[in-house]
Amino acid sequence: MGAKREIDDLLNEFLQLETDEQREQFRCKIAQTLADKTAEEKREFGEALADNAKKTIRQSEALIGEYHFKQALNDIIPAVTWSYIAEEYFQKSRSWLSQRMNGYHVNSKAAAFTPEEINTLADGLLDLSERIKKSAILLKGHRF
C-alpha cells in the first residue's frame, strides 16, 4: 500500500475514534506501524504525512478566510440589494455575486472572489455608504 493511501486510511480510522481507550490503542497501532517500516518507508510515510498536514492547513486557512469574509458582511447582508451591487460595481448578475459570496460550486470548483474582486466589493460598499450618508444629511437639512 502506498504511503499516501496508508495515511488516508489511518486518518479515516482516527476520525472514527470516540474514547480515550480507542485513541490509546490507535497510538500503539501507529507506533507498531512505524516500527515495522524500513528507513525508506518511514521517509515516504513522513513525506505523505507532511503533505496531508499542508493540505489540511490550506483548507483550514481557506475556511477561516471565508468565515472572516462572512463576518465582515454579516450586519449588512439583509440591508443591501446585492443585485444592485453585482450590476453596478461588477457588471455581473446577482447569481454571479451570490456564487462567490456563498462559495457555491461552479464547474466543479468552489466560486471565490479574487483579491481584486474583494477590493471592488469593498470600494463599492464604501461608495454606497457615502451616498447613503449624503442622502441622510440632505434629508436632515430639508424640511417637508
Side-chain angles (χ1 to χ4, degrees):
M1 174 184 317
K4 182 179 176 355
R5 172 66 187 253
E6 187 174 7
I7 293 288
D8 289 343
D9 290 346
L10 288 168
L11 178 59
N12 287 333
E13 182 179 341
F14 176 77
L15 293 174
Q16 301 300 315
L17 303 178
E18 295 179 357
T19 67
D20 289 340
E21 182 181 337
Q22 290 173 329
R23 284 185 273 284
E24 184 57 37
Q25 289 172 351
F26 185 78
R27 278 191 274 284
C28 292
K29 178 180 179 176
I30 293 291
Q32 186 60 51
T33 298
L34 290 173
D36 293 342
K37 293 191 176 301
T38 66
E40 177 63 19
E41 289 172 329
K42 287 179 185 178
R43 185 190 63 74
E44 290 175 6
F45 191 86
E47 287 176 3
L49 189 58
D51 288 344
N52 261 18
K54 289 175 189 174
K55 179 182 173 186
T56 301
I57 289 168
R58 284 191 302 272
Q59 290 171 334
S60 297
E61 288 171 342
L63 286 173
I64 290 167
E66 183 180 324
Y67 171 80
H68 288 301
F69 176 83
K70 287 185 177 186
Q71 285 301 111
L73 297 176
N74 192 41
D75 286 345
I76 65 166
I77 284 177
V80 173
T81 304
W82 295 101
S83 58
Y84 177 81
I85 299 289
E87 293 167 9
E88 180 72 14
Y89 300 104
F90 292 99
Q91 293 73 50
K92 302 282 186 178
S93 67
R94 183 188 182 288
S95 62
W96 178 90
L97 185 66
S98 178
Q99 290 165 352
R100 276 139 192 83
M101 289 181 67
N102 296 303
Y104 294 152
H105 281 74
V106 177
N107 298 324
S108 301
K109 182 180 170 190
F113 286 107
T114 65
E116 294 82 16
E117 290 168 341
I118 290 175
N119 285 337
T120 299
L121 178 59
D123 290 344
L125 291 173
L126 287 170
D127 176 58
L128 191 56
S129 72
E130 288 297 319
R131 291 166 44 199
I132 291 170
K133 183 177 180 179
K134 182 179 175 184
S135 295
I137 290 169
L138 289 172
L139 285 173
K140 280 193 168 231
H142 185 66
R143 300 291 174 230
F144 294 98

